[in-house]
Amino acid sequence: MTSRTRTRTRLLAGAAATAALVCTAGPAWAALPAPEAEAYVVSADAVAGMVAVAPTPASAYPSGGTNTLAGIHVGPFASNALLTATTSGDPQAGTSGASATIDSLGVDLSVATVSLTGVNSTCAATPTDATGSGVIAGGSVKLPLLPAINLQAGAGPNTGIDIPGVGTILLNEQATDANGKLSVNAVRISLLPILSAADLVIGHAECGGAAPAEAVPMINPQVAAVGGAAALATAAGVFLLRRRSTTA
């Protein structure tokens, strides 16, 4: 192998290694075609003869915004506090966000009651990641003839509590789907089949990012190219006219 051949081989190998490094270091975009977000404060299946409650109040991006409700007394939920759900997003940056809050809420499960304060769920997504949390400032579960069960404030992700004869409570529930979208529930109550196996959610926020949208050019490239050619042709014509008038 000649010296020139060896040098060429080394250059090609170095270029291949650099390309592999660039590919490895490149951003892993989320699978969503565009940023998405959703938020609501409460929802419930029918519980012990009570009516089901659709996600209330709810917000979704796009189009996003803030929706509020001044108190709720529907199904198992009772509160005079303000319920707030907010979503937002930025296609150019590929980001989205969501939040759901309520200061205090009572939940009547017929065989038990749940009291919650300071419910707050948040979610923030970028093109490469999504983070969030669902917390409560405090809470308790009361059953007949049994001591109250205190619910942990600021619990870690997916903290579970058993309610004897009733079901389970999951605090700060978090899950990410195949598209990289994160779902957060501050409180999720799952009842036993004897209580219709109902599912109740308090404080829901979910979000997912996407690759940043390409900026739309102010001028169509083809139009710009034609305009540039026309400008050059005009300039050339003026130059020729001036040259002829000078030499005449």
Short mmCIF file of all heavy atoms in Angstrom, two decimals, residues 135-166:
data_model
loop_
_atom_site.label_atom_id
_atom_site.label_comp_id
_atom_site.label_asym_id
_atom_site.label_seq_id
_atom_site.Cartn_x
_atom_site.Cartn_y
_atom_site.Cartn_z
N VAL A 135 -48.92 16.63 42.99
CA VAL A 135 -48.75 16.67 44.44
C VAL A 135 -50.01 17.14 45.13
O VAL A 135 -50.88 17.78 44.53
CB VAL A 135 -47.58 17.60 44.84
CG1 VAL A 135 -46.28 17.09 44.25
CG2 VAL A 135 -47.85 19.03 44.37
N ILE A 136 -50.10 16.82 46.42
CA ILE A 136 -51.13 17.36 47.29
C ILE A 136 -50.43 17.95 48.51
O ILE A 136 -49.35 17.50 48.91
CB ILE A 136 -52.16 16.29 47.73
CG1 ILE A 136 -51.46 15.15 48.50
CG2 ILE A 136 -52.93 15.75 46.53
CD1 ILE A 136 -52.42 14.15 49.13
N ALA A 137 -51.05 18.99 49.09
CA ALA A 137 -50.49 19.57 50.32
C ALA A 137 -50.85 18.72 51.52
O ALA A 137 -50.13 18.70 52.52
CB ALA A 137 -51.00 20.99 50.51
N GLY A 138 -51.96 18.00 51.42
CA GLY A 138 -52.38 17.13 52.50
C GLY A 138 -53.65 16.40 52.12
O GLY A 138 -54.32 16.74 51.14
N GLY A 139 -54.00 15.38 52.90
CA GLY A 139 -55.22 14.63 52.61
C GLY A 139 -55.43 13.51 53.60
O GLY A 139 -54.51 13.11 54.33
N SER A 140 -56.65 12.98 53.62
CA SER A 140 -56.95 11.86 54.51
C SER A 140 -58.13 11.07 53.97
O SER A 140 -58.92 11.57 53.16
CB SER A 140 -57.28 12.36 55.92
OG SER A 140 -58.46 13.16 55.91
N VAL A 141 -58.19 9.81 54.39
CA VAL A 141 -59.30 8.92 54.05
C VAL A 141 -59.97 8.50 55.36
O VAL A 141 -59.30 8.05 56.29
CB VAL A 141 -58.79 7.67 53.30
CG1 VAL A 141 -59.97 6.77 52.94
CG2 VAL A 141 -58.02 8.07 52.05
N LYS A 142 -61.29 8.64 55.41
CA LYS A 142 -62.04 8.27 56.62
C LYS A 142 -63.02 7.15 56.30
O LYS A 142 -63.78 7.24 55.34
CB LYS A 142 -62.79 9.48 57.17
CG LYS A 142 -61.88 10.58 57.69
CD LYS A 142 -62.67 11.73 58.28
CE LYS A 142 -61.74 12.83 58.81
NZ LYS A 142 -62.51 13.97 59.37
N LEU A 143 -62.94 6.07 57.10
CA LEU A 143 -63.84 4.93 57.00
C LEU A 143 -64.58 4.77 58.33
O LEU A 143 -64.04 5.10 59.39
CB LEU A 143 -63.09 3.64 56.67
CG LEU A 143 -62.34 3.59 55.34
CD1 LEU A 143 -60.90 4.02 55.53
CD2 LEU A 143 -62.41 2.22 54.73
N PRO A 144 -65.81 4.23 58.29
CA PRO A 144 -66.56 4.04 59.54
C PRO A 144 -65.80 3.14 60.52
O PRO A 144 -65.25 2.11 60.13
CB PRO A 144 -67.85 3.37 59.06
CG PRO A 144 -67.98 3.77 57.63
CD PRO A 144 -66.58 3.84 57.10
N LEU A 145 -65.73 3.59 61.77
CA LEU A 145 -65.18 2.81 62.89
C LEU A 145 -63.68 2.55 62.77
O LEU A 145 -63.13 1.72 63.51
CB LEU A 145 -65.92 1.47 63.04
CG LEU A 145 -67.45 1.55 63.18
CD1 LEU A 145 -68.05 0.16 63.23
CD2 LEU A 145 -67.83 2.38 64.39
N LEU A 146 -63.00 3.21 61.85
CA LEU A 146 -61.56 3.02 61.68
C LEU A 146 -60.83 4.36 61.76
O LEU A 146 -61.39 5.40 61.41
CB LEU A 146 -61.24 2.35 60.35
CG LEU A 146 -61.67 0.89 60.18
CD1 LEU A 146 -61.39 0.42 58.76
CD2 LEU A 146 -60.95 0.00 61.19
N PRO A 147 -59.58 4.35 62.23
CA PRO A 147 -58.80 5.60 62.26
C PRO A 147 -58.60 6.14 60.85
O PRO A 147 -58.56 5.39 59.87
CB PRO A 147 -57.47 5.17 62.88
CG PRO A 147 -57.74 3.88 63.57
CD PRO A 147 -58.82 3.21 62.77
N ALA A 148 -58.50 7.47 60.75
CA ALA A 148 -58.27 8.09 59.45
C ALA A 148 -56.92 7.69 58.88
O ALA A 148 -55.95 7.48 59.61
CB ALA A 148 -58.35 9.61 59.59
N ILE A 149 -56.87 7.54 57.58
CA ILE A 149 -55.62 7.24 56.88
C ILE A 149 -55.10 8.54 56.28
O ILE A 149 -55.78 9.16 55.45
CB ILE A 149 -55.84 6.20 55.77
CG1 ILE A 149 -56.38 4.90 56.35
CG2 ILE A 149 -54.54 5.94 55.01
CD1 ILE A 149 -56.81 3.89 55.30
N ASN A 150 -53.94 8.98 56.72
CA ASN A 150 -53.36 10.21 56.20
C ASN A 150 -52.66 9.97 54.87
O ASN A 150 -51.97 8.96 54.69
CB ASN A 150 -52.38 10.81 57.20
CG ASN A 150 -53.07 11.31 58.45
OD1 ASN A 150 -54.18 11.85 58.38
ND2 ASN A 150 -52.42 11.14 59.60
N LEU A 151 -52.83 10.89 53.94
CA LEU A 151 -52.20 10.80 52.63
C LEU A 151 -50.96 11.69 52.61
O LEU A 151 -50.99 12.83 53.06
CB LEU A 151 -53.17 11.23 51.54
CG LEU A 151 -54.47 10.42 51.46
CD1 LEU A 151 -55.38 10.97 50.36
CD2 LEU A 151 -54.18 8.95 51.20
N GLN A 152 -49.89 11.15 52.08
CA GLN A 152 -48.59 11.83 52.11
C GLN A 152 -48.57 13.07 51.23
O GLN A 152 -48.94 13.03 50.06
CB GLN A 152 -47.50 10.87 51.67
CG GLN A 152 -46.09 11.45 51.69
CD GLN A 152 -45.06 10.45 51.22
OE1 GLN A 152 -45.35 9.26 51.10
NE2 GLN A 152 -43.85 10.93 50.94
N ALA A 153 -48.12 14.17 51.79
CA ALA A 153 -47.94 15.39 51.00
C ALA A 153 -46.67 15.27 50.17
O ALA A 153 -45.65 14.77 50.64
CB ALA A 153 -47.85 16.60 51.93
N GLY A 154 -46.73 15.74 48.92
CA GLY A 154 -45.55 15.71 48.05
C GLY A 154 -44.98 14.33 47.85
O GLY A 154 -43.76 14.15 47.81
N ALA A 155 -45.84 13.33 47.71
CA ALA A 155 -45.38 11.93 47.56
C ALA A 155 -44.58 11.74 46.28
O ALA A 155 -44.77 12.45 45.29
CB ALA A 155 -46.58 10.99 47.57
N GLY A 156 -43.69 10.76 46.30
CA GLY A 156 -42.90 10.43 45.12
C GLY A 156 -43.77 9.78 44.05
O GLY A 156 -44.92 9.41 44.31
N PRO A 157 -43.24 9.65 42.84
CA PRO A 157 -44.03 9.07 41.74
C PRO A 157 -44.59 7.69 42.08
O PRO A 157 -43.89 6.84 42.64
CB PRO A 157 -43.02 8.99 40.59
CG PRO A 157 -42.02 10.05 40.90
CD PRO A 157 -41.90 10.06 42.39
N ASN A 158 -45.87 7.51 41.76
CA ASN A 158 -46.56 6.21 41.88
C ASN A 158 -46.51 5.63 43.30
O ASN A 158 -46.17 4.47 43.51
CB ASN A 158 -45.98 5.22 40.87
CG ASN A 158 -46.09 5.72 39.45
OD1 ASN A 158 -47.16 6.14 39.01
ND2 ASN A 158 -45.00 5.69 38.71
N THR A 159 -46.87 6.47 44.27
CA THR A 159 -46.98 6.03 45.66
C THR A 159 -48.37 5.46 45.90
O THR A 159 -49.37 6.17 45.73
CB THR A 159 -46.73 7.20 46.63
OG1 THR A 159 -45.40 7.69 46.44
CG2 THR A 159 -46.90 6.75 48.08
N GLY A 160 -48.46 4.19 46.29
CA GLY A 160 -49.75 3.52 46.45
C GLY A 160 -50.17 3.37 47.90
O GLY A 160 -49.32 3.15 48.77
N ILE A 161 -51.48 3.48 48.14
CA ILE A 161 -52.06 3.28 49.47
C ILE A 161 -53.28 2.39 49.33
O ILE A 161 -54.16 2.66 48.49
CB ILE A 161 -52.48 4.62 50.12
CG1 ILE A 161 -51.29 5.57 50.25
CG2 ILE A 161 -53.12 4.38 51.49
CD1 ILE A 161 -51.25 6.62 49.20
N ASP A 162 -53.37 1.35 50.15
CA ASP A 162 -54.54 0.47 50.17
C ASP A 162 -55.59 1.04 51.12
O ASP A 162 -55.27 1.46 52.24
CB ASP A 162 -54.15 -0.93 50.63
CG ASP A 162 -53.36 -1.69 49.57
OD1 ASP A 162 -53.61 -1.43 48.38
OD2 ASP A 162 -52.50 -2.50 49.95
N ILE A 163 -56.85 1.02 50.67
CA ILE A 163 -57.97 1.41 51.53
C ILE A 163 -58.78 0.13 51.79
O ILE A 163 -59.44 -0.38 50.88
CB ILE A 163 -58.87 2.46 50.87
CG1 ILE A 163 -58.04 3.61 50.32
CG2 ILE A 163 -59.91 2.97 51.86
CD1 ILE A 163 -58.85 4.62 49.54
N PRO A 164 -58.73 -0.43 52.99
CA PRO A 164 -59.39 -1.71 53.27
C PRO A 164 -60.86 -1.72 52.88
O PRO A 164 -61.62 -0.84 53.27
CB PRO A 164 -59.22 -1.87 54.79
CG PRO A 164 -58.02 -1.05 55.12
CD PRO A 164 -58.05 0.12 54.19
N GLY A 165 -61.23 -2.72 52.06
CA GLY A 165 -62.62 -2.88 51.67
C GLY A 165 -63.12 -1.87 50.65
O GLY A 165 -64.29 -1.89 50.27
N VAL A 166 -62.24 -0.98 50.21
CA VAL A 166 -62.66 0.08 49.28
C VAL A 166 -61.89 0.01 47.96
O VAL A 166 -62.48 -0.01 46.88
CB VAL A 166 -62.49 1.47 49.92
CG1 VAL A 166 -62.86 2.58 48.91
CG2 VAL A 166 -63.34 1.60 51.18
#
